Amino acid sequence: QVQLVVSGGGSVQAGGSLRLSCAASGFTNWMGWFRQAPGKEREGVASIYTRTGVTFDADSVRGRFPISRENANNTLYLQMNSLKPEDTAIYYCAAGRGDSRYGWADQRKYDYWGQGTQVTVSS
């Protein structure tokens, strides 16, 4: 069992930045970020294949939300820049073995989930 502890989030004005962190208690092949806005389904934001460092991200955040991982302390980061009101959501950290049947943005690829953290962007 891998525990994921999320920190960061909060409220910011449009154009601002926030950074999310996710500390994992164990190693997994995949780590990623998802978000869920009110009335919408949870969606994949960005993910990293930890064995190679290859990253993936959603079109809506490309160029604004780089994902990274610090190997030394097994912590995943999401640097959120140029935030927009439509980025407002609860953000979740996920990790897992990564079932090859599913793409990076499919929740079924991940076995473990951290607690959500609220990100609110005001215009």
Side-chain angles (χ1 to χ4, degrees), residues 84-97:
K84 304 175 181 179
E86 51 263 43
D87 295 319
T88 295
I90 299 174
Y91 284 70
Y92 298 90
C93 175
R97 298 165 299 171

Side-chain angles (χ1 to χ4, degrees), residues 7-115:
S7 59
S11 298
V12 66
Q13 288 191 327
S17 297
L18 287 171
R19 188 176 83 156
L20 304 182
S21 300
C22 174
S25 64
F27 177 84
T28 56
N29 291 328
W30 288 83
M31 295 186 76
W33 293 97
F34 285 74
R35 68 185 180 185
Q36 187 166 18
K40 295 187 177 181
E41 294 187 354
R42 190 174 298 187
E43 64 174 358
V45 176
S47 185
I48 184 169
Y49 180 54
T50 61
R51 294 189 179 275
T52 62
V54 174
T55 61
F56 304 84
D57 54 17
D59 291 343
S60 59
V61 304
R62 187 160 299 130
R64 299 189 299 126
F65 289 12
I67 186 173
S68 62
R69 177 175 171 271
E70 186 171 330
N71 294 336
N73 57 16
N74 205 13
T75 299
L76 183 73
Y77 301 98
L78 185 70
Q79 178 65 43
M80 301 185 292
N81 302 316
S82 302
L83 281 159
K84 304 175 181 179
E86 51 263 43
D87 295 319
T88 295
I90 299 174
Y91 284 70
Y92 298 90
C93 175
R97 298 165 299 171
D99 191 321
S100 60
R101 292 175 293 175
Y102 308 118
W104 72 267
D106 193 316
Q107 297 180 58
R108 293 172 292 182
K109 198 173 188 69
Y110 304 86
D111 306 300
Y112 311 105
W113 293 82
Q115 83 280 15

